[in-house]
Amino acid sequence: DERVVIAMVGLPARGKSFISKAIMRYLLFLGVACKLFNAGNKRRDQGKAGADATFFDPANKSAQALKEQMAMDTLEDLIL
């Protein structure tokens, strides 16, 4: 059972979700089973939607730890 992961990484609101959904639609059109995993959705589900710039500041250690945990939770969802 072979799997391929396409990871999109970048600043917020730069089109990662848009491109990811377009790739997913194309793969589904080709008959390829695929699934989308989005760490940003986890952030929004945890009440961090519309977080200000300080949340994304690399010097903000508490926010950095929270983002890291969300990313690891998303990776765990992917692996299982």
Side-chain angles (χ1 to χ4, degrees), residues 3-29:
R3 294 181 183 185
V4 175
V5 175
I6 301 171
M8 304 293 283
V9 179
L11 294 171
R14 296 299 185 253
K16 297 175 300 294
S17 294
F18 179 81
I19 295 295
S20 297
K21 290 174 187 173
I23 291 169
M24 188 172 166
R25 277 192 307 273
Y26 181 67
L27 291 173
L28 289 170
F29 172 76

Side-chain angles (χ1 to χ4, degrees), residues 21-54:
K21 290 174 187 173
I23 291 169
M24 188 172 166
R25 277 192 307 273
Y26 181 67
L27 291 173
L28 289 170
F29 172 76
L30 294 177
V32 177
C34 56
K35 190 170 180 182
L36 185 65
F37 298 89
N38 188 330
N41 287 343
K42 287 198 182 298
R43 177 177 52 83
R44 287 182 277 281
D45 291 345
Q46 292 184 11
K48 300 294 183 188
D52 62 8
T54 59

